[in-house]
Amino acid sequence: MTKNIQKIGVMTSGGDSPGMNAAIRSVVRTCAYHKLECIGIYRGYQGLIEGDFKPMDARSVNNIINKGGTILKSARSKEFRTREGRDTAFAKAKQQGLDAIVVIGGDGSFTGAMIFSEENDFPVMGIPGTIDNDIYGTSSTLGYDTAINTVVEAIDKIRDTASSHNRLFFVEVMGRDVGNIALNAGVGAGAEEILIPEENLGRDRLLESLKRSRKSGKSSSIVVVAEGVESGENVFALKDYVEENLPEYEVRVSVLGHMQRGGSPSCWDRVLASRMGVKAVESLMEGDYNNMVGIQDTKIVLCPLEKAVKGKTDIDKELIRVSDIMTT
């Protein structure tokens, strides 16, 4: 049965990503445009449990579209993983008069939203905010474009010093168990080798690639490594292995870490966030909820939350082929 949506809550949950503030802004201003009330929920599900709410209007989101992070803050909530915690959250939502909630986050946040909705027959909508780009149902998540541009810029700078000192640099990038950041940033930055968990190329392939580079006259190289590249092994273990087998290389490691999750969002992420926020609110108004807003072939689409949570994303095989050609 379609519910009458008059008051919408908005929260950010899980890890932050560039573009979250732009999405908050879009949700708040779309509510204002349609004369709906909007309530900001601070600190994700923990704030929902504690009733950490603040009314938001169009002016309350001035000058945030260009800011990284999230003005609503984010927090992990062990309490929300329990039925008692979710019951408390639902009581707080009803006490506040909320008719629906827009959750901006990743698969963990969407899992919580899906369970919360099923238990309480409560409308929710998801907006994918994660730099990892690992959510099924959307070709791009908020923050991904900004993150890969941040990585490319960092690698460009690292290459300057690698060339100056004839060094081999291993650059570790984020992405959990997926190699989207490593693959795209590696191709964009012209890395000599790219190691991703989806393609276990092995140590021997890496050594052969470095030997070929050396023979071709390259005195410095960049190897981009996804943080989940090999189970039980990290980038420092790879460094040690290369130094043992190719002593002619002077190897350095640069772990980019959380700098990839910060910074001003790119134009793409700002526009995407704006489009997703409008779709989330208007879908709720039309009675089409318990979905995630995504983008496919430049079109804004809806994907059932269950599919977004349980579906498996695939790495771009064509880009892997391009990478192989470019690193020849």
Side-chain angles (χ1 to χ4, degrees):
M1 183 176 70
T2 301
K3 298 179 182 292
N4 183 25
I5 305 294
Q6 294 297 322
K7 184 183 284 191
I8 296 175
V10 59
M11 69 162 71
T12 50
S13 177
D16 64 290
S17 66
M20 279 187 165
N21 280 327
I24 295 167
R25 174 181 180 269
S26 179
V27 170
V28 172
R29 292 200 168 175
T30 305
C31 285
Y33 179 83
H34 290 290
K35 296 180 171 51
L36 304 178
E37 291 184 71
C38 189
I39 303 296
I41 303 168
Y42 283 78
R43 297 179 295 114
Y45 291 117
Q46 193 60 36
L48 182 60
I49 290 172
E50 297 174 8
D52 194 356
F53 304 136
K54 181 180 179 181
M56 304 184 78
D57 58 24
R59 300 287 73 80
S60 66
V61 290
N62 282 350
N63 304 319
I64 68 169
I65 193 172
N66 61 315
K67 298 185 183 301
T70 163
I71 63 167
L72 292 179
K73 310 299 181 184
S74 187
R76 310 288 181 182
S77 178
K78 291 183 179 179
E79 193 176 352
F80 192 78
R81 297 180 181 180
T82 68
R83 182 61 190 261
E84 293 77 14
R86 293 191 297 274
D87 286 345
T88 300
F90 179 65
K92 292 289 186 180
K94 297 311 291 182
Q95 182 181 338
Q96 181 64 35
L98 295 180
D99 299 312
I101 295 176
V102 176
V103 179
I104 307 167
D107 54 0
S109 303
F110 292 165
T111 299
M114 183 178 67
I115 295 171
F116 182 74
S117 174
E118 290 172 350
E119 290 176 346
N120 301 291
D121 188 26
F122 190 86
V124 296
M125 289 292 292
I127 293 178
T130 168
I131 67 169
D132 300 333
N133 202 36
D134 60 350
I135 305 294
Y136 179 84
T138 183
S139 59
S140 186
T141 57
L142 296 183
Y144 174 60
D145 183 71
T146 304
I148 58 177
N149 279 288
T150 297
V151 172
V152 167
E153 183 179 355
I155 293 174
D156 287 347
K157 293 177 179 178
I158 289 170
R159 188 179 292 281
D160 290 343
T161 193
S163 300
S164 298
H165 295 276
N166 295 333
R167 286 174 178 162
L168 166 63
F169 267 85
F170 282 103
V171 181
E172 184 185 87
V173 302
M174 298 177 82
R176 292 197 302 180
D177 300 319
V178 295
N180 287 317
I181 293 177
L183 180 59
N184 281 267
V187 171
E192 279 67 37
E193 192 60 81
I194 303 167
L195 305 182
I196 58 175
E198 291 89 348
E199 295 281 315
N200 189 354
L201 303 180
R203 291 177 166 189
D204 292 339
R205 152 82 184 256
L206 175 61
L207 291 181
E208 288 304 314
S209 175
L210 293 174
K211 287 177 182 177
R212 287 197 306 271
S213 294
R214 196 78 170 181
K215 286 181 180 178
S216 69
K218 288 185 179 179
S219 58
S220 64
S221 293
I222 300 289
V223 177
V224 178
V225 183
E227 60 184 350
V229 65
E230 289 188 49
S231 179
E233 183 173 56
N234 61 33
V235 68
F236 293 98
L238 287 172
K239 168 188 177 294
D240 293 341
Y241 181 76
V242 169
E243 286 183 330
E244 289 171 6
N245 290 273
L246 297 175
E248 64 270 24
Y249 271 109
E250 186 178 356
V251 187
R252 295 289 185 271
V253 171
S254 181
V255 179
L256 299 188
H258 286 76
M259 68 176 290
Q260 296 160 82
R261 290 215 323 224
S264 182
S266 66
C267 180
W268 168 264
D269 278 330
R270 298 183 198 193
V271 173
L272 182 60
S274 300
R275 296 177 70 189
M276 286 181 167
V278 171
K279 184 67 172 179
V281 172
E282 293 186 343
S283 294
L284 285 170
M285 294 173 62
E286 294 164 2
D288 196 357
Y289 35 77
N290 299 348
N291 295 307
M292 179 198 73
V293 183
I295 184 168
Q296 297 286 357
D297 298 325
T298 74
K299 302 294 184 183
I300 296 297
V301 298
L302 295 179
C303 174
L305 271 179
E306 186 174 9
K307 284 188 177 182
V309 168
K310 297 180 180 180
K312 187 178 185 304
T313 58
D314 295 318
I315 200 76
D316 188 338
K317 298 293 186 181
E318 174 61 20
L319 192 55
I320 290 176
R321 195 176 77 86
V322 169
S323 169
D324 288 340
I325 294 171
M326 292 299 102
T327 55
T328 299

